[in-house]
Amino acid sequence: MKNFKKYGLLLIIATLVAFAAACGNGSSTDENAGDDKKGSETASGSIVVSGSSAMQPLVAAAAEEFMAENPDADIQVNAGGSGTGLSQVSEGSVQIGNSDVFAEEKEGIPADELVDHKVAVVGMTAAVNPNVGIEDISKEDLKKVFTGEIKNWKELGGKDQKITLVNRPDSSGTRATFVKFGLDGETPAEGITEDSSNTVKKIINETDGAIGYLAFSYFTDDSVTPLAIDGVKATDENVQKGDFPIWAYEHSYTKGEPDGLAKTFLDYMMSEDVQTGLLKDQGYIASTKMEVERDAEGKQTKK
């Protein structure tokens, strides 16, 4: 009788173990199925992107298309300049900080804490009011214009008009790129200072004799005239070949490796559809199309 009870107890224990194992396998299967289902779902959540106004048209257009495909995702894109984007992403107040310059070039930015995603290349050039009367300028004369040595367009074969400078603030990556590669590091003279490329374009259009500088992506109409430099036109092809001097990478920085919606959106930015379609439509150059490359010190080499 004792043996019978003993064997019965063992049978009950064995049955319970088998049942628990079956339940465990069931839970594992459900979890994997949930993961598979999660992979097929659209992206969700919200992030804030800030920084370079030269990048804003591209990132805003990409965000709009991304949100159309992912209605549960919310991506807010702000401008404010590269310095702002780098500062805010470093502080953790935004998830992505856009910049026209390497983080290493900005004083006070902990570049070693940031991860660089080179999403595009942007060309930049001087932009003038269409009534100025010139479409080409030497780099030496460009420096003389922006340092105030040349004060009237007639000195360059243009109209008898006083030159009005329109600059970006010190925090601007567009300014940093233009000064570094267009003016060889010389400091621009005082003029009108505006925080937004859109506003710079508007002022140049509305002010006789005005000159500023803009990314190629802003030359979408005839309201301002882009200047060739030393006979080289401001075109994507000339930037790609390394013949046009004023260009920069468009960086999207994250604090550490991105995750969640920030990673999904950056992956989307680097996708073939965006790189070969939307990016070009918005006036930017795919970094994969470049025949030259630059480092943080500005040294240009052939790929």
Side-chain angles (χ1 to χ4, degrees), residues 201-257:
K201 180 178 178 179
K202 184 174 185 290
I203 291 173
I204 294 171
N205 170 254
E206 295 175 352
T207 308
D208 288 340
I211 181 172
Y213 38 90
L214 293 166
F216 289 1
S217 53
Y218 284 87
F219 298 114
T220 56
D221 50 39
D222 297 328
S223 62
V224 297
T225 300
L227 293 186
I229 298 177
D230 289 320
V232 181
K233 290 185 177 181
T235 66
D236 290 357
E237 292 74 17
N238 286 332
V239 168
Q240 289 167 0
K241 292 185 293 185
D243 294 337
F244 192 82
I246 313 174
W247 65 271
Y249 291 110
E250 295 290 48
H251 310 261
S252 286
Y253 279 98
T254 55
K255 190 170 185 178
E257 292 293 341

Side-chain angles (χ1 to χ4, degrees), residues 53-189:
S53 64
M55 287 183 70
Q56 188 182 26
L58 170 63
V59 180
E64 185 177 346
E65 290 195 359
F66 182 88
M67 288 187 291
E69 297 174 11
N70 300 273
D72 292 330
D74 178 49
I75 301 173
Q76 181 180 333
V77 183
N78 302 326
S82 297
T84 298
L86 289 170
S87 294
Q88 290 183 342
V89 76
S90 299
E91 296 163 357
S93 58
V94 302
Q95 287 70 45
I96 298 173
N98 292 330
S99 175
D100 305 323
V101 298
F102 286 88
E104 292 88 338
E105 297 180 73
K106 282 289 185 182
E107 189 175 347
I109 298 298
D112 58 331
E113 298 178 8
L114 303 180
V115 176
D116 186 6
H117 310 271
K118 298 182 181 72
V119 300
V121 166
V122 61
M124 301 175 189
T125 194
V128 297
N129 181 283
N131 297 321
V132 158
I134 70 166
E135 296 182 356
D136 189 2
I137 192 170
S138 70
K139 188 186 250 193
E140 287 306 309
D141 284 340
L142 183 66
K143 290 190 282 187
K144 290 177 181 178
V145 166
F146 271 92
T147 56
E149 186 175 340
I150 294 177
K151 300 180 182 299
N152 193 299
W153 289 111
K154 67 180 180 181
E155 298 179 58
L156 298 176
K159 292 189 177 181
D160 184 6
Q161 287 181 341
K162 176 187 174 183
I163 295 173
T164 299
L165 300 179
V166 186
N167 280 306
R168 297 291 306 284
D170 290 338
S171 64
S172 164
T174 301
R175 176 184 173 120
T177 299
F178 184 78
V179 167
K180 188 171 186 176
F181 300 112
L183 306 182
D184 294 333
E186 296 196 21
T187 303

